[in-house]
Amino acid sequence: YTLSWTYGGINPNKNRGHAIYVDKLCQDFSRILTASIDASLAQHGTREDEKTALFEAIAQHVSFCQDRAATFFGRKTTLGQIKSYLRSGSRHPLIVHGASGTGKTSLLAKAAMQTTGWVSCDDSAVIVRLIGLTSQSRNIRSLLRSLCLQLTYIYGGDMTLIPQDYMSLVNFFVVQLESANADKPLVVFLDALDQLTDDYNARQLFWLPKELPPYVHIVVSTVPQRKYDCFPALKVGMVMDETIPDDQQYVEVPDLPGADAAAIVDHWLKADKRRLTSEQLAILIDSFRQCPNPLFLKMAYNESTLWNSYTLKSDLRLATCVEKLANQIFVRHERGHGEAVVRRTLGYITAAKHGVTFNELEDILSLDEDVMNSV
């Protein structure tokens, strides 16, 4: 600011130049201070919004784990293998693998819920991500950032230092794992690596540490098919420790035993306050034996809820595999609601990249001429 200096100093009442100076100074001060406050509030608001989103995501994954764990039965041997790994000094991730529908998600959910009771430290940190549960969890950059935010929150640190770009997040994630210590060890469960999108070649698993820092255990799950890349990448990339048994590095989820299936069906029947005749129960269990898969068992049980005690034996039909049973269910819905409605509804749900609400689906269907002509 440039102004003439007069006897007695600044006097805006008698000097117009001084009055203009004081007015401009006040305006500039107000503008700069307001801009600084707005920037600070925006930055703080972004952090708070991100923290809120983190807590909401964690709540979704934990709530889903609790629901799955509450209805989990059997698999004691497989759970025991995970328990042994978490109690071991292994410095490599544990790889849980099995075909789709074998119950890997429920298995990891149950293990996550029991981890604090398995490990020796009462204050262990457990992180769970069920990839595919939310759209954000399928993108590796979003997933890594979410994990880094939670690790920073658990072990302390400045969340503003967490990077945004993929490669920096990979490095930051590895560094954050080293925060685990004897007083607060870390266990991370990552379910369904095969559900990751193609972004950044995520299913090649470059981002997953092959050797872990002390006091860190990571349990991952995937399907074994080569087309998903994950399992072959894990087998090629992991540096296996010959001093550790294979069952503490690889855990295959086997077919569901018949005794476990019978216990599960009995639990579902009691929960629904229903009963099946001995003949109906035999048909359900016999169909399960042809496809000893938890997903098939659930689908078959849901079909059995449509049976009445007087339903003719000729109408008690269940397909022998997941795909055929799904087609049987679709055909039943097509008979009840019309082919156009069912096919278009399933098509819109499949096409919705981030999911679709019931109200949105109703609006879309109401604009479909084929659907409206069929109802």
Side-chain angles (χ1 to χ4, degrees), residues 1-5 10 17-18 21-22:
Y1 302 97
T2 302
L3 72 162
S4 59
W5 190 263
I10 302 296
H18 288 185
Y21 157 73
V22 171

Side-chain angles (χ1 to χ4, degrees), residues 129-178:
R129 289 296 185 277
L130 309 174
I131 299 170
L133 181 63
T134 63
S135 58
Q136 290 81 6
S137 65
R138 297 193 65 217
N139 178 274
I140 186 58
R141 191 189 69 79
S142 299
L143 177 64
L144 285 174
R145 182 161 174 82
S146 176
L147 291 170
C148 290
L149 283 166
Q150 189 169 355
L151 286 168
T152 301
Y153 183 81
I154 291 171
Y155 292 102
D158 188 353
M159 290 188 176
T160 61
L161 298 179
I162 301 175
Q164 295 282 354
D165 64 286
Y166 168 67
M167 286 305 302
S168 298
L169 280 168
V170 172
N171 297 327
F172 194 88
F173 176 60
V174 174
V175 172
Q176 283 295 89
L177 291 178
E178 296 175 357

Side-chain angles (χ1 to χ4, degrees), residues 74-87 94 107 111 114 118 247-248 251:
R75 301 286 197 193
K76 292 183 179 179
T77 300
T78 314
L79 277 174
Q81 291 175 289
I82 298 177
K83 179 180 178 180
S84 297
Y85 165 75
L86 296 180
R87 287 183 166 182
L94 177 69
L107 178 69
Q114 293 189 333
W118 287 347
D247 64 359
Q248 290 188 11
V251 174

